[in-house]
Amino acid sequence: YTRISAHTDVGGRFVFRFRPTEKISVEDNMIIRNRKFAETDFQNNFRSNALSISYTLSDQFSLFGGFSYDSFLAEASVTFIRGTQPRDVFWRDQTLNRVWQAGLSAKPVRNLGFTFSGNFIRSTGAGEISGEPPYFGPLTWPYATGSVYYDFPKLGRLAIDLQRTYYLEEVVPGNDFRANMLTVRWTRDF
């Protein structure tokens, strides 16, 4: 069976860009959406906002940072005419995601440079059906990359990258992992 009914869908989007100087840039993007079905017991709400700020001091040094947030809520219930108990089923998916990010790029001398960037993701909420244990829940996932490089004139760039991450789930810890990766790269443009 497909549940079809009239519904109300109200939403909006807001984008803000501000550049007070040539060196500083600020951007914000927000989305809001609400849906509700008239004849059935289903509704969902979505909120999202992302803010980023960048600062370029010179060709040798720049910084950026940002924060994003999104929230999702969906609720519904259905009553089955036949079948085993419970025939009244209620489900709720609720998720709240936050991502913090930052980075910098520095080139202290002509051919030598450093970069660093990282994200920290935290997700909370749970997906539940009629009081059963949740099938997903809170998680934490930070990761970062640091690089040092040297440009050899006419030959290319030698870079060494170190990446570090871990992933932790509170409901299904069997998916957890940790990783370190060291990469040596040689690149050449032609």
Side-chain angles (χ1 to χ4, degrees):
Y1 296 99
T2 302
R3 297 172 62 184
I4 299 173
S5 73
H7 67 276
T8 303
D9 190 346
V10 178
R13 181 175 180 178
F14 171 76
V15 177
F16 172 77
R17 290 185 180 102
F18 180 59
R19 192 168 186 131
T21 69
E22 284 296 314
K23 297 180 179 189
I24 299 172
S25 175
V26 179
E27 185 170 329
D28 190 72
N29 193 339
M30 181 180 1
I31 299 170
I32 297 173
R33 171 162 258 149
N34 297 321
R35 294 183 83 187
K36 185 168 180 66
F37 283 66
E39 300 298 323
T40 61
D41 187 23
F42 176 79
Q43 67 174 6
N44 71 347
N45 303 322
F46 178 76
R47 308 282 185 270
S48 175
N49 192 60
L51 171 70
S52 64
I53 300 170
S54 63
Y55 175 66
T56 304
L57 181 63
S58 66
D59 289 342
Q60 286 79 31
F61 185 76
S62 62
L63 296 166
F64 77 89
F67 175 74
S68 66
Y69 160 95
D70 66 73
S71 167
F72 175 76
L73 170 66
E75 296 178 318
S77 66
V78 64
T79 301
F80 295 99
I81 298 172
R82 295 185 179 90
T84 58
Q85 294 291 342
R87 289 188 207 140
D88 297 324
V89 178
F90 174 80
W91 73 85
R92 177 185 177 104
D93 287 339
Q94 183 173 14
T95 304
L96 180 62
N97 300 311
R98 295 178 188 93
V99 179
W100 293 267
Q101 52 184 257
L104 66 92
S105 177
K107 195 170 182 180
V109 293
R110 184 175 179 193
N111 294 333
L112 179 67
F114 305 92
T115 62
F116 173 80
S117 63
N119 287 350
F120 181 84
I121 300 169
R122 177 69 178 149
S123 182
T124 57
E128 299 177 280
I129 298 175
S130 294
E132 295 177 8
Y135 56 92
F136 72 86
L139 66 87
T140 303
W141 187 10
Y143 59 96
T145 302
S147 297
V148 60
Y149 64 87
Y150 188 83
D151 290 323
F152 293 93
K154 299 182 183 178
L155 296 175
R157 174 180 284 184
L158 174 65
I160 299 172
D161 306 327
L162 177 62
Q163 296 176 315
R164 168 83 173 116
T165 188
Y166 65 87
Y167 179 88
L168 302 173
E169 281 192 39
E170 292 180 25
V171 174
V172 186
N175 293 332
D176 294 353
F177 71 88
R178 297 176 187 277
N180 294 308
M181 186 168 63
L182 180 65
T183 307
V184 178
R185 296 181 287 128
W186 183 272
T187 55
R188 185 169 187 272
D189 295 332
F190 44 124

